Structure formats: C-alpha cells, structure tokens
Amino acid sequence: MQPTNITDPGFFHKVVDCQYACPAHTPVPEYIRLIAAGRYSDAYMLNWQSNVFPGILGRVCDRPCEPACRRGRVEEQPVAICRLKRVAADYKDDITARLPNVPTAKNGKHIALIGAGPASLTVARDLAPLGYDITIIDDGNAGGGMMRTQIPKFRLPDSVLDEECGYIEHLGITRRYGERVNSLKSLLDENYDAIFVGTGAPRGRDLDLPGRTEAAENIHLGIDWLSSISFGHVTSIGKRVIVLGGGNTAMDCCRSARRLGGESVQVVVRSGFEEMKASPWEKKDAMHEDIPILNFLVPKEFTHEDGKLTGLIFEKVKAEYDAKGRRNLVPAGEPDIHIPCDDVLVAVGQENTFPWIERDIGIEFDKWGMPIVDETTYRSTHEKIFFGGDSAFGPKNIIWAVAHGHEAAISIDLLCSDKSLGDRPPPHVTLASQKMGIHEWSYGNEISDDRRYLVPHAEKALVLCNIKAEVELGFDPVLALAEAERCLNCDVQTVFTENLCIECDACNDICPVDCISFVDNGDEDDLRTRLNAPAQNLTQDLYISSDLKTGHVMVKDEDVCLHCGLCAERCPTGAWDMQRFLFNTAKATDKAGSSCCKS
Amino acid sequence: MSFLPKPKLHHPGLGCNSLGFTKRDYEGAVSTLCAGCGHDSISAAIVRACFELDLPPHRIAKLSGIGCSSKTPTYFLGNSHGFNAVHGRMPSVVTGANLANRDLIYLGVSGDGDSASIGLGQFAHAMRRGVNMTYIVENNGVYGLTKGQFSATSDKGAKSKSGATNKDEAIDLVGMALQLGATFVARSFSGDKGQLVPLIKAALSHKGAAFIDCISPCVTFNNHQGSTKSFDYVREHNEAVNFLDVIVEKEEIIVDYAPGATEIVRQHDGSLLRLRKLGESDYDPSDRAAAFTFLEQRKAQGEIVTGLLYVDPTADDMHDLLGTTTTPLNELSEATLCPGGTVLDKLNASLR
Ligand SMILES: Cc1cc2nc3c(=O)[nH]c(=O)nc-3n(C[C@H](O)[C@H](O)[C@H](O)COP(=O)(O)OP(=O)(O)OC[C@H]3O[C@@H](n4cnc5c(N)ncnc54)[C@H](O)[C@@H]3O)c2cc1C
Ligand SMILES: Cc1ncc(C[n+]2csc(CCOP(=O)(O)OP(=O)(O)O)c2C)c(N)n1
Ligand code: SF4
Ligand code: SF4
Ligand code: SF4
Ligand SMILES: [Mg+2]
C-alpha cells in the first residue's frame, strides 16, 4: 500500500466517526470537551454555527452520529452525543450578544425562502449576516415548519422552538407568515435574485383498502392528525387505537394517542420489528408507555358497522429471503386476524407534492414528480431556484435539512457574486499538537469505563395525562460530565513521523486495542489479515507509514483506536504525537468574518 | 513513564485461550520504565507466551532481583505470585521455592547487572543444579536503574553515553549457561517478538534450567553510537540460526517446510519444538560442544548469534537429582512433614 497522505483532510475527517456521520459535520468531540469543561455557552455556539438548532436537535435529532460512534465498537453503547448537545442548550448563559450582527447597509440582493422549516431557516441564518435582504413565506403562523407542526410537544416544547427560530427571525428577516405560495411563477415575478424552496414533504400517504370511505370518520392520516393536535383542533381519540406504520410518525402518533384518551393503543407493522424505520430509542419509549408493537401483519380491510369503524383485518405474513438476500413478505398460511378498534391512525409514509409549481417555468421534474436538483449545489434546472430539506430529495430529517440549507446558502451567495457554483469554499482544517509535557496532554486522555448514562424521564403517570409535558428531563451537569468523559476524543489524532521511529515496539506493546503493527508492506487485503489484530472493519481505513529502517512499515488500524495517547506517551522519540484535528465545513457566513458568531 | 492505567477497553475481536482468559488478563500494572525500554517488550512477549500456552496465572511464580529489569514483574502477570529478592539473589529464592513447591511454574527475571555482576554466583548454581525454571536476563549492558554504568556483559571496547570505553572483558552468559549445564539455552532480542515469544514458550515448557539471554536496549543510557547493545547495532549484527514454533500437545503437526531444513524436538511435557534452520549455517542445537565453537567463531566476527542454541529435551531437573518427594510440601500433612523423634532417631542412627 502507498503511505497515507495525512495532509489530505479527508483522512482524519473520517476518523472522527460522529462528525463524519453528521450531515452537518458538527465538531462533536470538541463540543463534548467544552461541556466537560463546563463551558456550556461555548459548546452551544459551536453547535449553533454548524447545526443551527442545538436545543431542538439535542432533543429530537435522528442522531446518525450515535450509531457511528467508535465507543459503540469497543463497548456496548455509543456516547449520548445528542443528549449532551441538549446540556449545552439547557445550561448556557444568555447568548444573544454572541449572535451575528446584521449589517445595516444591505448588499442589494433579495432572496425569497418558501417554507419556514429548518432548511429555509438555515439559509436565512447563513445569508442575513452578509447583508442579503431575506423574505420567508410560510403558510403557518410561526416558524419551524414540521418541527413545530408535527413533532409532539412532549418531545419538543414550544419554548425551545420559539427561542431557536427566534435567533434567526431576529436577524432582520422579513416574515410573510400566514401566506401560502400558490404560484411560483408569480413569486418569480417579484424579481428575487434567488428563491429557495424549503416546503418539505407535506402529504401523508393513504391506505386505499376496502372500508376506507365508509369508515372515514375514524381513520386519520398520521401527519395531518399530529398537526391538528399542535393547532389544538384535536383533543381526544377513541379508547382503542391502531396505528399503522413503523416510522417516526407512527411512534409520535401512538404516543400522542395514549395522551388523548387512547387506553389500548397498538402499533401494527407489515415487516419485522427489527426492520422498522423508527429508531430503537423511539420504539423503546413507545413500549415503555404500554404500547405493544405487533409485526408481520398486513392490513387488508377496515371493518365497519352502520358507517362506524369497528376494526381492521390483517393477513399474517412471514419473511422469506431470495437468493440475492432480498426479503419478501409472503403469506404465513395462517387465518387472518381481526383487531377491533375505535380509531385508526395511518402513518405509512410521506410524499412530496408541488401543485403550486408551474411546469413551464424552467424547473424540470422527474417521473415521480420530484424536481431535478443538483446534489452538491442544490440548484434546480432553473438558474435562480434552489431546493433543500425534505422538498429536495424526499423526507429525511432536521439535520439533513440544515446540511442542505448550508450548501444552498453557499450556492446562492456564489450566484449573487457572479461566481461559478462549482467554486465551493474548502473546509477549515487545523491540526495541532496537544503535548504539554512528557505525559501531559491538553485533553483528558484517561479512558472512562462507565457505561452509557440514561437521561432521566418525568414520571409516566404525569406525562401521560398532559400532552405538552416534556418526557425527557435532560442530563444535569453531574451526569453530563460523567457522560462527556465517555467520549474518546476521536478528533485528537495519532500522527506518526517515520524518520523519528526507532522500531522499539513500545507503542505496539502498550496499545490497549492492538491497533499498531510493524509488518512488511503488502496490498490492503493482505495487510488487513497480518496485523496484530485483523482489521476486519473495511469501512475504517488503515494508516500506513513509508518504509522504516528495518524495511517494515507501521500500519495502524483506525477502527478501534481509543485516542488514549498511550502510544505517544510510550514512544521514546516522539514519533507518535497526539494532534487535535479541527474540521469545519465552509459556511456562507464565513465571509462575514468576526462580526458573526462572536465567541 | 505513564501515570494513567492502561484502559480496560480492548479490541472487540480479542480472543480467549482454552482457560477463557484473554491476553489482557495476563498483563500487570502499567510500566513505569522509560518510554521505549526494551524490557517492556520482553514483558509483552511474556504476556503473549503465557496466554498462548494457556497457563493458569495462579500457577505461575515470577521472581526477580533488583534493577529496571527486575522491576518488570510488576508489569506482567498481575494475577500470579511474585517475589522481589535482594540484588542478585533471585536464583536462591527460586531454588528454595521450587524445593518447597515443585508444582508451580517458575519464571525468574533478572538483569545483566543482577545476574552477571553481583549475582553471578547465584546464577551459576541455579544453572548447574538444574532448577526447573525459566531464567530470563534482560541484557542491556548497563546498570540501567543506577544510571547507566557498564555492567559485566558490556562488550570490551563499547562506549558509554558519556564517551568512556569499557576496558574489561565481557561475561557471556550464554556461554556460561552452556558450560554450567543448563539444558535449554537461547539468545534473543527484545525487538524481535517473532523470535522471542516462541523461545519463551519453549523455555516455559522445558523441564530443567532454561536460560534466555535477551538483549534489551536501554533507550536512556545505552542506545547511542558506539554501544553494542543499541537497537541499530543489534539489528545490524543479529545472526539468527533458527526459527522456532512451539506446538503444544493435541495440536496437529503440519510439516510445511522443506525436509532437512526442519527438525522436530519432543520435550518432556509432550510439547514439540519445530525448528526451522535459518541462513547458511547448519546449526545443530543438540550438540553442546559444537555450540561453543560456533558461538566463539561468530563472536570473533562481531556477530550476535540468536535463536535456540542448545536443548536437551530429556533432561532431569533438581528434584530428580535429589530424589525428593513428588508432592509439593504444602500438600503434605504435618505428620508426614514432621514425623517425630523416633523417625529422626532412626535417620540419625542410619548415618552413624
Ligand atoms: C411526525 C413527524 C415526526 C418527526 N420527527 C422528527 C424527529 O424527531 N427528528 C427529526 O430530525 N426529524 C423529524 N421529522 C422530520 C422533520 O420534521 C423534517 O424532515 C424537517 O422538518 C424537514 O424540514 P424542511 O425545512 O425541509 O421542511 P418542513 O419542516 O417540512 O417545513 C416546510 C414548511 O413549508 C410550509 N409550506 C409548504 N408548502 C408551502 C407553500 N406552498 N407556501 C408556503 N408555505 C409552504 C409548510 O407548512 C412548512 O411549514 C418528523 C416528521 C414528522 C412528520
Ligand atoms: C546489594 C546492592 N548493591 C547495589 C545496588 C545498586 N543497584 C541497584 S540496581 C543495580 C544494577 C542493576 O543492573 P541490571 O541488573 O543490569 O538492571 P537494569 O537496570 O539494567 O535492567 C545496582 C548496582 C543494590 N540495589 N543493592
Ligand atoms: S467517542 Fe467521542 S469523538 Fe469518538 S465517535 Fe464517539 S462521540 Fe465522537
Ligand atoms: S491512541 Fe495509540 S495507544 Fe491509544 S488506542 Fe490509539 S493507537 Fe492505541
Ligand atoms: S534506564 Fe534504561 S533499562 Fe531502565 S527503564 Fe530506562 S531505558 Fe529501561
Ligand atoms: Mg542492565
């Protein structure tokens, strides 16, 4: 193998598993260290710069970082990255003085953002400090999009939404709330320099089964039903409720139903329990609220009597795998079952719909009715129209919407500066030694053996009778510190200097996870089998030196390195050093320099 | 030196041996030796050897004298018995312990100062008595612990870090062990675990006095230009005569080397040593007289011969020679151990 080029930021970026997995590439270990140091406001601002909604995401993020966390590969559970983010939000001081200044002299460019969800708000946050005149148009009465209308208050209280949407709305942005855009053509006529479409995926998929029309009164589309709750239009439901579907919406529906009078609430999914789209913690929370999840049942028919729903008939299925390992659901050959109920909530998926976009204005749509959007620039086939969030590539989640928003903002800024959209600014990267003394580092390199701490919950009886009562209470500072100590500081990189190495084996001997080997070079497949511990995780790279004096090369399997720094402590010549790798994706706001996000 | 304990987290694929222990279970406290000290690598090799041999940690006794090398038993086999003797006195303590309890596996760890200077006489008698033990000298040519004075194994003409030249002849512990009747004699290098680990395994499964002279650079006082015990010097002058595999009972022997180049030696305990000859030399480790000549010739050429240099797989140990009881003393009843005045009188009478 060729020696690793560590000057390519891509190499160390990948080592920071959580940050790499985060769509917005939040510098996770850096903010966790700030939390451990009690610097909550600094941790908050670091988050705010990259993911815009730390308090919101610290409660409801889909957390792609956690399954990626290295800790989950060396013990059972990842670091509670998401819930630590909430700690920064909960315990910070007033940070309003650290928010960006909005220039009084505008740059003369006018941008319209349709929809006030996380995608649009991110674009607004990134462009307003540069002097753009921003107008947000949303058919609701408050900002936040689905974060406000769909996500139940017991997971995300309004106060948190108000605060974090407010930080952006107060950057001198024109809000046209309560207004629906019914024609993109007429909005184009308002002569904006660019338009960003962040209208989400607003339509719930229906289930067209026998009995659907007859029993319509008691069959509700999940996402519509949830927004009716948040608007206060729906305040009760029948005692026996069936929720169809296995994603986030289904989990929010069943838990909401338990709070509005549902005594026997059951979730029914077609596939197996393990394959459900909902996250493991969402399923756990639902089951904790006495909601059973029944699997391998395909709904066949709504039963009804005198125009009133009486229940649902399900066919039992089982999973069969074909030669290619693809799963098919086939009839189990058992009799159908009937589950009686008073109401059904249909949460089987969400769709995009753009009835308000004329098809002759230069935006091309594919055969599924989705706009054709560039995956790097987020521009549609219309020069001035951009898409992001759920409206771009279908329903995802908040953090993806934020990531899209950042990139779209860069594109809009490039467009308005007459630059090529391909000319994207590179990430900001620094690599600096953390050595303070012979065995002293400016980060805590002692590895905590603690297992993941659970976030305290409010008492079940209390939350089930008040749909607005928040269930999770968040970590207190003591628990937060203990959890923060579990972080392995994966951004503090092991950096190897071959010409200093005397091949004494000290690093190889001390390494608690057998990461380091000195072996004859070979091609990657062969090398992976010849290391101290075979490197079987192909998603993690090998770090390889050039030839050493004996002709061996140093090979480090990045997979399970604890970043404990013991290799560097035991190295007599300083051939190993621990260096902090800070990586921040470029943001449009960077141009505003120090006036933005004062820290 | 590190202050932090080694993290308990380990590689998820870390394997267990037949006793259900992982390699990590054979470790000790974190080392306080200088970073890069060769002795730490020998500790790591001991850990691996004991793990691979499935040795029950509580059946091992590790003993040492004084010196950096003699400190190392704290850094391996944290669940075994240990004894830190007076400077140079480890061999007598092992001899006594072995007489009392012959069932433990004895591992003596010493330095070149500890064994070739102050403890030379002790070393000699443990070898000639055939004490059933593994005796490892972590040989760095200096008194590391007392700041790097030449030891008795320092080569004539070698330079100290401060520039002084050693004028005295070096003691070659391998040659002495051969002469004194050790039945397993090897030399190795801390920087070559591929060679060292099997040698330690073979020594641990050998019955009788097994001696390993392990060159182990002192990075702080003896790893400079002009030293003959530095990493660079040893790597340049190392002449390995063979490569060893240790096959414990039950494992199948797969002969995958060209015939003639491989030799299989069966030891007392049933373990098999598979020796692959290296280089030009047709070195025969069962020929003691030839070993002497070979070592002398190569030494004259400035080479450091490593590998398994001599083995007598059918050797007897001290207990066989003395005809002692096969039962460890702590398993004998008080009545057997102190049979009383009548038996003593009888014994005395028989000697008159
Ligand atoms: C029940 C449910 C629970 C969820 N839970 C989570 C969760 O826990 N974590 C997570 O990360 N994600 C969750 N999501 C997904 C998340 O809410 C969305 O992915 C995210 O809000 C998408 O953001 P967006 O900016 O693309 O648009 P949205 O948040 O969908 O906002 C779009 C806004 O545009 C408005 N709009 C639409 N069309 C027009 C128009 N023509 N004119 C004017 N305004 C218009 C809409 O009313 C809405 O306010 C959940 C979704 C649902 C349905
Ligand atoms: C009776 C006695 N004499 C002298 C000393 C001082 N002393 C301590 S360690 C040592 C030499 C150790 O050298 P070596 O065995 O080679 O160990 P190293 O530190 O090199 O590993 C000496 C002379 C002592 N501790 N006790
Ligand atoms: S241990 Fe810390 S830095 Fe490493 S992946 Fe997990 S959260 Fe990120
Ligand atoms: S930091 Fe060094 S010693 Fe620690 S786990 Fe990583 S490679 Fe091993
Ligand atoms: S002084 Fe020499 S022998 Fe002692 S610990 Fe340091 S390097 Fe090792
Ligand atoms: Mg010494």
Side-chain angles (χ1 to χ4, degrees), chain A residues 222-223 225-226 242-257 265-269 276 278 282 286 291 345-349:
Chain A
I223 70 167
W225 184 74
L226 287 171
I242 290 179
V243 177
L244 298 176
N248 321 67
T249 309
M251 296 301 108
D252 283 342
C253 284
C254 66
R255 296 180 70 195
S256 296
V265 179
Q266 308 184 65
V267 173
V268 184
V269 294
M276 287 170 63
E282 289 180 302
I291 300 166
L345 297 168
V346 181
V348 294

Short mmCIF file of all heavy atoms in Angstrom, two decimals, chain A residues 222-223 225-226 242-257 265-269 276 278 282 286 291 345-349:
data_model
loop_
_atom_site.label_atom_id
_atom_site.label_comp_id
_atom_site.label_asym_id
_atom_site.label_seq_id
_atom_site.Cartn_x
_atom_site.Cartn_y
_atom_site.Cartn_z
N GLY A 222 -51.85 10.19 9.69
CA GLY A 222 -50.98 10.50 10.84
C GLY A 222 -50.48 11.93 10.88
O GLY A 222 -50.67 12.62 11.89
N ILE A 223 -49.85 12.40 9.79
CA ILE A 223 -49.22 13.72 9.92
C ILE A 223 -50.26 14.83 10.02
O ILE A 223 -50.05 15.83 10.69
CB ILE A 223 -48.15 14.02 8.83
CG1 ILE A 223 -48.74 14.24 7.46
CG2 ILE A 223 -47.08 12.95 8.78
CD1 ILE A 223 -47.68 14.85 6.52
N TRP A 225 -53.17 14.45 11.44
CA TRP A 225 -53.74 14.33 12.80
C TRP A 225 -52.79 14.99 13.80
O TRP A 225 -53.22 15.73 14.68
CB TRP A 225 -53.94 12.84 13.10
CG TRP A 225 -54.58 12.54 14.41
CD1 TRP A 225 -55.90 12.70 14.74
CD2 TRP A 225 -53.94 12.02 15.58
NE1 TRP A 225 -56.12 12.32 16.02
CE2 TRP A 225 -54.93 11.89 16.58
CE3 TRP A 225 -52.64 11.65 15.89
CZ2 TRP A 225 -54.66 11.40 17.86
CZ3 TRP A 225 -52.37 11.16 17.15
CH2 TRP A 225 -53.35 11.04 18.13
N LEU A 226 -51.46 14.78 13.63
CA LEU A 226 -50.49 15.37 14.56
C LEU A 226 -50.51 16.90 14.47
O LEU A 226 -50.47 17.59 15.49
CB LEU A 226 -49.07 14.87 14.26
CG LEU A 226 -48.78 13.43 14.66
CD1 LEU A 226 -47.41 12.99 14.12
CD2 LEU A 226 -48.80 13.26 16.19
N ILE A 242 -55.54 1.84 16.70
CA ILE A 242 -54.50 1.10 15.98
C ILE A 242 -53.70 2.10 15.15
O ILE A 242 -54.28 2.94 14.45
CB ILE A 242 -55.10 0.03 15.05
CG1 ILE A 242 -55.69 -1.10 15.90
CG2 ILE A 242 -54.02 -0.55 14.12
CD1 ILE A 242 -56.33 -2.18 15.08
N VAL A 243 -52.39 2.02 15.27
CA VAL A 243 -51.53 2.88 14.46
C VAL A 243 -50.86 2.00 13.41
O VAL A 243 -50.22 1.00 13.76
CB VAL A 243 -50.46 3.58 15.33
CG1 VAL A 243 -49.53 4.42 14.47
CG2 VAL A 243 -51.13 4.43 16.41
N LEU A 244 -51.00 2.36 12.15
CA LEU A 244 -50.39 1.58 11.08
C LEU A 244 -49.10 2.28 10.63
O LEU A 244 -49.12 3.45 10.29
CB LEU A 244 -51.34 1.47 9.89
CG LEU A 244 -52.67 0.76 10.16
CD1 LEU A 244 -53.56 0.81 8.92
CD2 LEU A 244 -52.43 -0.70 10.57
N GLY A 245 -48.02 1.54 10.64
CA GLY A 245 -46.75 2.13 10.19
C GLY A 245 -45.68 1.99 11.25
O GLY A 245 -45.98 1.85 12.44
N GLY A 246 -44.41 2.02 10.80
CA GLY A 246 -43.31 1.77 11.74
C GLY A 246 -42.23 2.84 11.74
O GLY A 246 -41.10 2.57 12.15
N GLY A 247 -42.58 4.05 11.30
CA GLY A 247 -41.57 5.11 11.29
C GLY A 247 -41.75 6.10 12.42
O GLY A 247 -42.50 5.85 13.36
N ASN A 248 -41.05 7.25 12.32
CA ASN A 248 -41.15 8.28 13.38
C ASN A 248 -42.58 8.72 13.58
O ASN A 248 -43.03 8.91 14.69
CB ASN A 248 -40.44 9.61 13.05
CG ASN A 248 -39.15 9.46 12.33
OD1 ASN A 248 -39.14 9.03 11.19
ND2 ASN A 248 -38.07 9.80 13.00
N THR A 249 -43.30 8.92 12.44
CA THR A 249 -44.66 9.44 12.55
C THR A 249 -45.52 8.47 13.34
O THR A 249 -46.31 8.88 14.20
CB THR A 249 -45.24 9.69 11.14
OG1 THR A 249 -44.29 10.46 10.40
CG2 THR A 249 -46.55 10.41 11.20
N ALA A 250 -45.36 7.19 13.07
CA ALA A 250 -46.16 6.19 13.79
C ALA A 250 -45.87 6.25 15.29
O ALA A 250 -46.78 6.18 16.12
CB ALA A 250 -45.85 4.80 13.25
N MET A 251 -44.60 6.43 15.62
CA MET A 251 -44.24 6.47 17.04
C MET A 251 -44.85 7.71 17.71
O MET A 251 -45.34 7.65 18.83
CB MET A 251 -42.71 6.47 17.22
CG MET A 251 -42.03 5.21 16.73
SD MET A 251 -42.60 3.70 17.55
CE MET A 251 -43.54 2.95 16.24
N ASP A 252 -44.81 8.85 16.99
CA ASP A 252 -45.41 10.06 17.56
C ASP A 252 -46.92 9.93 17.65
O ASP A 252 -47.54 10.41 18.60
CB ASP A 252 -45.03 11.28 16.71
CG ASP A 252 -43.59 11.71 16.98
OD1 ASP A 252 -43.05 11.30 18.03
OD2 ASP A 252 -43.02 12.45 16.16
N CYS A 253 -47.52 9.26 16.67
CA CYS A 253 -48.97 9.08 16.69
C CYS A 253 -49.40 8.22 17.88
O CYS A 253 -50.33 8.56 18.61
CB CYS A 253 -49.44 8.41 15.40
SG CYS A 253 -49.48 9.52 14.00
N CYS A 254 -48.73 7.11 18.08
CA CYS A 254 -49.20 6.20 19.13
C CYS A 254 -49.02 6.85 20.51
O CYS A 254 -49.89 6.75 21.37
CB CYS A 254 -48.52 4.84 19.04
SG CYS A 254 -46.76 4.85 19.35
N ARG A 255 -47.89 7.55 20.67
CA ARG A 255 -47.66 8.17 21.98
C ARG A 255 -48.62 9.33 22.21
O ARG A 255 -49.09 9.55 23.33
CB ARG A 255 -46.20 8.62 22.10
CG ARG A 255 -45.23 7.44 22.06
CD ARG A 255 -43.79 7.88 22.16
NE ARG A 255 -43.46 8.40 23.49
CZ ARG A 255 -42.37 9.11 23.76
NH1 ARG A 255 -41.52 9.42 22.79
NH2 ARG A 255 -42.14 9.53 24.99
N SER A 256 -48.96 10.04 21.12
CA SER A 256 -49.95 11.12 21.27
C SER A 256 -51.31 10.53 21.62
O SER A 256 -52.04 11.06 22.47
CB SER A 256 -50.06 11.94 19.97
OG SER A 256 -48.83 12.58 19.70
N ALA A 257 -51.66 9.42 20.96
CA ALA A 257 -52.96 8.79 21.21
C ALA A 257 -53.09 8.37 22.67
O ALA A 257 -54.16 8.51 23.28
CB ALA A 257 -53.14 7.59 20.28
N VAL A 265 -53.62 1.24 22.92
CA VAL A 265 -53.04 1.72 21.66
C VAL A 265 -52.04 0.68 21.18
O VAL A 265 -51.19 0.24 21.96
CB VAL A 265 -52.34 3.09 21.86
CG1 VAL A 265 -51.72 3.57 20.55
CG2 VAL A 265 -53.30 4.12 22.42
N GLN A 266 -52.20 0.26 19.92
CA GLN A 266 -51.27 -0.75 19.40
C GLN A 266 -50.70 -0.28 18.06
O GLN A 266 -51.40 0.29 17.25
CB GLN A 266 -52.00 -2.08 19.16
CG GLN A 266 -52.77 -2.57 20.36
CD GLN A 266 -53.38 -3.94 20.07
OE1 GLN A 266 -52.67 -4.92 19.89
NE2 GLN A 266 -54.69 -3.99 20.03
N VAL A 267 -49.42 -0.55 17.88
CA VAL A 267 -48.79 -0.25 16.60
C VAL A 267 -48.72 -1.55 15.81
O VAL A 267 -48.37 -2.59 16.38
CB VAL A 267 -47.36 0.31 16.82
CG1 VAL A 267 -46.63 0.47 15.48
CG2 VAL A 267 -47.43 1.65 17.54
N VAL A 268 -49.09 -1.49 14.54
CA VAL A 268 -49.03 -2.70 13.72
C VAL A 268 -48.17 -2.42 12.49
O VAL A 268 -48.39 -1.44 11.78
CB VAL A 268 -50.45 -3.15 13.27
CG1 VAL A 268 -50.35 -4.47 12.51
CG2 VAL A 268 -51.37 -3.29 14.49
N VAL A 269 -47.16 -3.28 12.28
CA VAL A 269 -46.28 -3.08 11.13
C VAL A 269 -46.29 -4.32 10.23
O VAL A 269 -46.50 -5.44 10.69
CB VAL A 269 -44.83 -2.76 11.56
CG1 VAL A 269 -44.79 -1.41 12.27
CG2 VAL A 269 -44.24 -3.84 12.44
N MET A 276 -38.17 -2.02 11.35
CA MET A 276 -38.94 -0.77 11.42
C MET A 276 -38.04 0.43 11.21
O MET A 276 -36.88 0.43 11.62
CB MET A 276 -39.61 -0.67 12.78
CG MET A 276 -40.77 -1.63 12.97
SD MET A 276 -41.30 -1.64 14.69
CE MET A 276 -41.85 0.06 14.91
N ALA A 278 -38.42 3.39 12.53
CA ALA A 278 -38.25 4.18 13.75
C ALA A 278 -36.94 3.79 14.43
O ALA A 278 -36.48 2.66 14.33
CB ALA A 278 -39.41 3.94 14.70
N GLU A 282 -36.93 5.29 19.94
CA GLU A 282 -38.33 5.67 19.79
C GLU A 282 -39.24 4.48 20.11
O GLU A 282 -40.28 4.61 20.76
CB GLU A 282 -38.60 6.13 18.35
CG GLU A 282 -37.99 7.48 18.02
CD GLU A 282 -38.29 7.89 16.58
OE1 GLU A 282 -37.93 7.14 15.64
OE2 GLU A 282 -38.89 8.95 16.39
N ALA A 286 -42.00 4.15 23.17
CA ALA A 286 -43.39 3.78 22.93
C ALA A 286 -43.77 2.58 23.79
O ALA A 286 -44.80 2.57 24.47
CB ALA A 286 -43.61 3.48 21.45
N ILE A 291 -47.37 0.52 24.90
CA ILE A 291 -47.87 0.40 23.53
C ILE A 291 -47.19 -0.81 22.89
O ILE A 291 -46.00 -0.79 22.62
CB ILE A 291 -47.54 1.68 22.73
CG1 ILE A 291 -48.20 2.88 23.40
CG2 ILE A 291 -47.99 1.52 21.27
CD1 ILE A 291 -47.70 4.22 22.91
N LEU A 345 -54.94 5.30 12.97
CA LEU A 345 -54.04 6.36 12.51
C LEU A 345 -53.13 5.76 11.45
O LEU A 345 -52.45 4.76 11.70
CB LEU A 345 -53.21 6.90 13.68
CG LEU A 345 -54.04 7.57 14.78
CD1 LEU A 345 -53.20 7.82 16.03
CD2 LEU A 345 -54.64 8.88 14.29
N VAL A 346 -53.16 6.35 10.25
CA VAL A 346 -52.39 5.81 9.14
C VAL A 346 -51.08 6.60 9.03
O VAL A 346 -51.10 7.79 8.74
CB VAL A 346 -53.18 5.92 7.82
CG1 VAL A 346 -52.36 5.33 6.67
CG2 VAL A 346 -54.53 5.22 7.94
N ALA A 347 -49.98 5.92 9.32
CA ALA A 347 -48.68 6.59 9.29
C ALA A 347 -47.73 5.75 8.46
O ALA A 347 -46.75 5.21 8.94
CB ALA A 347 -48.15 6.77 10.71
N VAL A 348 -48.07 5.62 7.19
CA VAL A 348 -47.30 4.70 6.34
C VAL A 348 -46.42 5.43 5.34
O VAL A 348 -46.00 4.87 4.34
CB VAL A 348 -48.25 3.72 5.60
CG1 VAL A 348 -48.94 2.80 6.59
CG2 VAL A 348 -49.27 4.47 4.76
N GLY A 349 -46.16 6.69 5.59
CA GLY A 349 -45.22 7.39 4.71
C GLY A 349 -45.68 8.78 4.34
O GLY A 349 -46.83 9.17 4.56
#
